[in-house]
Amino acid sequence: MAALSLADFKRLVVKVGSSLLVADDGELDRAWLDTLAHDIAVLQRAGHELIVVSSGAIAIGSSVLGINKRRARLEGLQAAAAAGQVQLVHAYQEALGRHGIAAAQVLLTLEDTENRRRFLNARGTLGRLIEGSVIPIVNENDTVATDEIRYGDNDRLAARVAQLVMADALVLLSDVDGFYTADPAADDSAEHIPEVTRITAAMQSMAGETRSDFGSGGMATKVQAARIATHAGCSTIIASGQIEHPLDALSTGARCTVFRPQGTPAAARKQWLAGVLEVRGEMAIDQGAAGALRNGKSLLPVGVVGVSGNFRRGDVVNISGPDGAELGRGLAEYSDQEALRIVGCRSEEIEDRLGYRGRAEMVHRDDLVLFDKD
Ligand code: GLU
């Protein structure tokens, strides 16, 4: 296998497991975090975009509240998350701040990634932070998430975030340096697998038997995360974070497992859009907008000449050209009622028409698929 180089990836999501950051007594390992922040700063200076998904809130907060996190009831864990999250994100703020980098706290619930309207909101915010070179520090909003509606593990949350921002790499840092044929802690014959091109059912069940990390995820959630991310066109890397400068180490040959992606993030998003069966409405656009879309631009209200159907923000709408031919489809940034009010509107007029500040796009270019001409 060719050596892995993080330099090959433009947008990276890095997931940090609890056991790397927080000791059993709830103490944060700031020295290690400093080495991670250093690696992040080096990558960012070289033009890469980074998002961190960090666990550790419950582990830190449990010691603040004197809770045994393995036996605590839900409200205990929710309280621990609240008490720990503030310390967790502050530690990142300090560590990144030493490199002149600002951090932002982003707390997500399951619905923020599964519901399309909220998905657009989360994507917009994360995109704007990345654009401003601020590092989003993402965690699950454990304080309000209840058992039925939570991820419970940050491996899958990180995979969803990677999909959301169309990252091209997801790095899962934990206490294992990759995927093994069996649990290496329990079985001497366990073999390390450096590269996976296809996740099989056998691998999934192998992972089910392997425990790692004293956070919630084991190998099973890591393989599930790899499945989500690779289907979204994102390479997934399972690597050990139990070393200083864990990201730098990857580029200099540290052992890991790379799950190869299926296609690119853009192709995966378009394939998904093309396959959505439920189309709720239609937007007719003018010649200028049709040309702009072909050049990879977003659809702006000014280019829309007609709106029909019954749709909400996040629903799929068809887009038709001046001759009525279907050009493609995309996720509406506005409901049908709102869209009707801003048809033909220039961006600076949107607020006046709606009475609140809207978004610049009718359909964002990342959420748009154009059909072939013939
Ligand atoms: N969100 C949890 C926390 O911050 C961690 C979940 C996990 O261990 O993956 O403590």
Side-chain angles (χ1 to χ4, degrees):
M1 187 184 87
L4 177 78
S5 168
L6 291 187
D8 293 340
F9 305 108
K10 170 82 176 155
R11 185 170 281 189
L12 296 107
V13 173
V14 179
K15 185 257 170 175
V16 179
S18 282
S19 63
L20 303 177
L21 256 184
V22 190
D24 272 334
D25 61 1
E27 214 40 55
L28 255 155
D29 188 346
R30 289 170 201 275
W32 179 83
L33 186 56
D34 279 341
T35 74
L36 176 70
H38 177 270
D39 291 357
I40 290 174
V42 170
L43 284 165
Q44 197 190 54
R45 268 201 303 274
H48 300 273
E49 299 166 336
L50 289 109
I51 293 135
V52 174
V53 175
S54 184
S55 306
I58 294 175
I60 300 169
S62 297
S63 79
V64 174
L65 288 163
I67 285 174
N68 179 330
K69 104 177 175 113
R70 285 187 228 291
R71 286 206 294 270
R73 299 227 313 248
L74 181 63
E75 59 271 27
L77 295 176
Q78 290 178 319
Q85 179 65 23
V86 65
Q87 292 194 28
L88 179 68
V89 91
H90 186 233
Y92 276 97
Q93 188 184 32
E94 277 187 345
L96 290 167
R98 280 187 208 108
H99 300 275
I101 299 174
Q105 169 177 272
V106 177
L107 295 177
L108 297 176
T109 61
L110 187 68
E111 287 154 319
D112 292 318
T113 57
E114 309 309 294
N115 168 305
R116 282 212 295 267
R117 185 171 48 83
R118 291 173 59 165
F119 165 101
L120 290 180
N121 294 342
R123 204 265 315 271
T125 305
L126 287 167
R128 187 63 190 84
L129 288 169
I130 296 167
E131 206 180 294
S133 302
V134 175
I135 306 281
I137 310 296
V138 181
N139 199 355
E140 182 159 16
N141 195 351
D142 292 308
T143 297
V144 295
T146 59
D147 272 344
E148 319 76 68
I149 53 152
R150 69 196 285 253
Y151 279 101
D153 69 87
N154 276 2
D155 295 320
R156 285 175 304 156
L157 172 66
R160 283 292 192 213
V161 168
Q163 184 178 26
L164 194 78
V165 299
M166 292 168 71
D168 44 14
L170 166 65
V171 183
L172 299 172
L173 294 176
S174 76
D175 59 0
V176 278
D177 58 4
F179 183 83
Y180 286 80
T181 52
D183 184 351
D187 185 344
D188 282 347
S189 68
E191 273 175 49
H192 179 267
I193 300 185
E195 184 175 12
V196 176
T197 45
R198 202 168 63 87
I199 299 169
T200 60
M203 288 178 66
Q204 198 97 46
S205 55
M206 232 145 44
E209 291 151 19
T210 313
R211 261 218 65 75
S212 79
D213 214 274
F214 95 103
S216 312
M219 191 47 78
T221 58
K222 290 182 177 50
V223 172
Q224 284 164 14
R227 188 188 283 278
I228 296 169
T230 52
H231 275 96
C234 176
S235 299
T236 304
I237 299 146
I238 298 180
S240 172
Q242 288 181 320
I243 38 173
E244 298 196 333
H245 297 286
L247 299 180
D248 183 48
L250 274 177
S251 291
T252 50
R255 185 138 93 152
C256 65
T257 296
V258 184
F259 295 78
R260 298 285 172 197
Q262 302 184 2
T264 63
R269 176 73 58 91
K270 289 187 193 299
Q271 196 181 7
W272 170 78
L273 259 173
V276 172
L277 294 176
E278 206 179 6
V279 177
R280 294 298 192 99
E282 185 167 312
M283 292 188 189
I285 67 173
D286 65 20
Q287 198 65 55
L293 297 196
R294 293 259 176 241
N295 284 327
K297 300 275 187 332
S298 295
L299 176 61
L300 304 180
V302 71
V304 178
V305 294
V307 172
S308 60
N310 216 317
F311 55 89
R312 301 199 324 165
R313 178 166 145 77
D315 283 340
V316 176
V317 292
N318 274 337
I319 297 167
S320 57
D323 55 358
E326 261 186 32
L327 297 177
R329 52 164 56 175
L331 297 187
E333 286 280 353
Y334 286 100
S335 70
D336 57 338
Q337 293 304 314
E338 292 169 311
L340 279 169
R341 281 170 30 211
I342 56 171
V343 159
C345 217
R346 278 180 291 124
S347 298
E348 55 278 18
E349 297 166 340
I350 296 176
E351 189 171 353
D352 266 359
R353 293 268 187 103
L354 291 177
Y356 46 85
R357 192 174 307 171
R359 296 173 196 259
E361 302 89 11
M362 206 66 126
V363 176
H364 190 278
R365 60 189 152 90
D366 287 346
D367 302 322
L368 194 69
V369 57
L370 296 181
F371 303 140
D372 290 336
K373 269 190 173 146
D374 294 300

